[in-house]
Amino acid sequence: LHLLPRLTRTLSNAIYHKTKGNPLFVSRLMRSLSNEGLLRPSLSRRRWEWDTKEIRSRRLPDDVAIFLTDSLGELRDEVQWALFILSCFGASTEKSAFVKRQGLDSNVLKNLEVAVAEGLVDKIDDQYRFAHDRIQEAAYNTKPAHKRCVIHFKYGLELSSLLIGEEDASACVLFTAVNQLNLGGPHAVQDRSQYITAARLNLRAGKKAMEMSDYETAYSYF
């Protein structure tokens, strides 16, 4: 780029975060950024310019994701567990919801920061997001199916406790709680009261979805 290091520091940090310095991946990513216009020459400034925030939020190429996925097993158990928990909530999760509403202990957040430093997770504003769907899938599959069901149901119940007496609770919290319960499924239920809780919340979520004119989602809850 023929620019001083102090001018390219933000770009180099973003590139290293996504490629861990692998020369092949750096070259591949730089070309991709140029083709997409995220790294472009500016005639008025007579130099290259880039959008650091857009680059950080960009999804990884498949081959880079596979490379990073293979490194999951080298992480500490605590970091792998944090990644598994995050994967249970999808490809991305708001930090505030992930930490406060789910009642996760502070160690999960601390270990997610390790995953961010390793390039496995992107932290954008108040959101944690897997750098690639393959990484989320690999993190999710670190635990057997029956364990995943138990964890889903556990967090569904924790979220549902926030909905007691809160008829005006946000749809996001309600839908997240019900989705977690449903992902857990019947095999995770331990007593009759939990069946009743799951049924009531599905009914409530279905009605809420109908109010939002999202009939397909409402049907899935009913």
Side-chain angles (χ1 to χ4, degrees):
L1 301 181
H2 299 287
L3 293 171
L4 294 173
R6 63 181 176 83
L7 297 176
T8 61
R9 186 167 292 113
T10 57
L11 175 63
S12 61
N13 287 343
I15 296 295
Y16 181 81
H17 174 75
K18 290 189 172 296
T19 65
K20 309 311 292 180
N22 184 297
L24 176 63
F25 296 154
V26 170
S27 176
R28 166 84 181 272
L29 185 57
M30 292 286 282
R31 286 198 301 270
S32 178
L33 294 177
S34 178
N35 292 336
E36 295 177 15
L38 296 179
L39 177 63
R40 55 197 176 272
S42 171
L43 296 179
S44 61
R45 301 176 68 186
R46 297 183 179 181
R47 49 162 284 189
W48 288 85
E49 62 181 14
W50 52 88
D51 188 328
T52 304
K53 186 174 182 179
E54 284 295 321
I55 292 173
R56 286 189 175 276
S57 64
R58 187 186 182 281
R59 293 287 186 177
L60 286 174
D62 287 346
D63 52 356
V64 181
I66 293 172
F67 170 75
L68 291 176
T69 296
D70 291 339
S71 70
L72 280 177
E74 300 174 4
L75 298 171
R76 299 197 317 270
D77 290 345
E78 298 84 358
V79 179
Q80 292 187 48
W81 176 253
L83 286 171
F84 167 68
I85 296 298
L86 178 61
S87 73
C88 288
F89 292 94
S92 63
T93 308
E94 293 293 329
K95 175 183 174 183
S96 57
F98 187 54
V99 177
K100 296 177 183 177
R101 292 174 186 168
Q102 270 76 325
L104 301 174
D105 64 62
S106 60
N107 286 330
V108 172
L109 180 59
K110 181 176 68 176
N111 287 314
L112 278 181
E113 293 296 332
V114 175
V116 170
E118 292 292 330
L120 297 166
V121 173
D122 293 325
K123 184 180 179 183
I124 304 169
D125 297 328
D126 191 39
Q127 186 180 71
Y128 286 105
R129 190 190 72 182
F130 280 99
H132 195 280
D133 292 341
R134 287 180 181 271
I135 299 175
Q136 180 202 353
E137 181 181 355
Y140 190 66
N141 288 327
T142 56
K143 306 298 177 186
H146 70 276
K147 180 70 171 181
R148 298 197 296 263
C149 290
V150 171
I151 293 298
H152 280 303
F153 203 79
K154 173 181 180 291
Y155 285 117
L157 289 177
E158 288 191 6
L159 273 173
S160 68
S161 67
L162 301 178
L163 300 170
I164 299 175
E166 298 289 340
E167 292 301 322
D168 296 325
S170 74
C172 178
V173 178
L174 175 60
F175 293 153
T176 301
V178 175
N179 289 339
Q180 289 296 307
L181 290 173
N182 293 346
L183 284 169
H187 297 297
V189 177
Q190 296 182 350
D191 58 58
R192 179 177 174 79
S193 65
Q194 292 179 348
Y195 274 117
I196 296 174
T197 296
R200 286 175 175 171
L201 286 175
N202 270 276
L203 177 61
R204 182 173 168 183
K207 291 180 178 179
K208 175 66 75 173
M210 289 189 66
E211 292 174 5
M212 299 167 66
S213 299
D214 189 350
Y215 300 112
E216 183 176 352
T217 299
Y219 178 79
S220 70
Y221 291 135
F222 291 143

